[in-house]
Amino acid sequence: MARIFVLNGPNLNMLGKREPSIYGGLDLAGIERLVRDKATSLGAEIEFRQTNHEGDLVDWIHEADEADALGIVLNPGAYTHTSIALHDAIRAISLPVIEVHLSNVFAREAFRHHSWVSPVAKGVICGFGPKAYALALEALASDLAK
Ligand code: DHK
């Protein structure tokens, strides 16, 4: 069965209580449920993780590649805007990575307009709340990401 890694970066464990007017009211467990439901309908197996530490994300990107996963759905949180390590990790692997954000980062502060991940991602989905994750899974499962 196709395996998809869904990786979440810093502060996403705070969803539900963190700035709900921006990130919505659903917590990360709710997003995980949504992801697992979508994966079932697509026949995919999900590795769903969250960390507040940059190096964990780097390790998990490598792990997904070693596991020969179908691809990675990545919400890097604020590391999107700062992490050359994530940029390099994605360049080092051959899997498609779909960058997702709950909010429309381009409609927010200028410091969120630059992403180190976007230039090495297969595609970017932002501004649709938790649906971004389902859309990214669909893209991976339907070969769009190849
Ligand atoms: C999540 C974060 O934690 C922010 O640092 C990003 C992203 C946006 C999101 O919308 O999911 O800037």
Side-chain angles (χ1 to χ4, degrees), residues 78-122:
Y79 291 136
T80 307
H81 318 297
T82 62
S83 180
I84 297 171
L86 284 184
H87 175 101
D88 283 349
I90 295 166
R91 283 174 74 142
I93 64 166
S94 49
L95 305 180
V97 174
I98 314 287
E99 177 185 348
V100 300
H101 302 286
L102 296 158
S103 64
N104 177 357
V105 286
F106 300 103
R108 299 181 61 194
E109 305 96 320
F111 64 81
R112 295 184 205 275
H113 296 178
H114 177 262
S115 167
W116 284 103
V117 172
S118 299
V120 287
K122 196 73 200 176

Side-chain angles (χ1 to χ4, degrees), residues 3 10-11 13 19 32-33 40 44-45 52-53 62 64 68 74 78 90 95-96 112 133 144:
R3 206 161 156 219
N11 297 307
N13 57 313
E19 299 184 271
E32 181 172 357
R33 274 195 299 278
T40 303
E45 187 190 317
N52 292 321
H53 306 280
H62 298 167
D68 207 18
L74 176 63
I90 295 166
L95 305 180
R112 295 184 205 275
Y133 288 79
L144 270 179

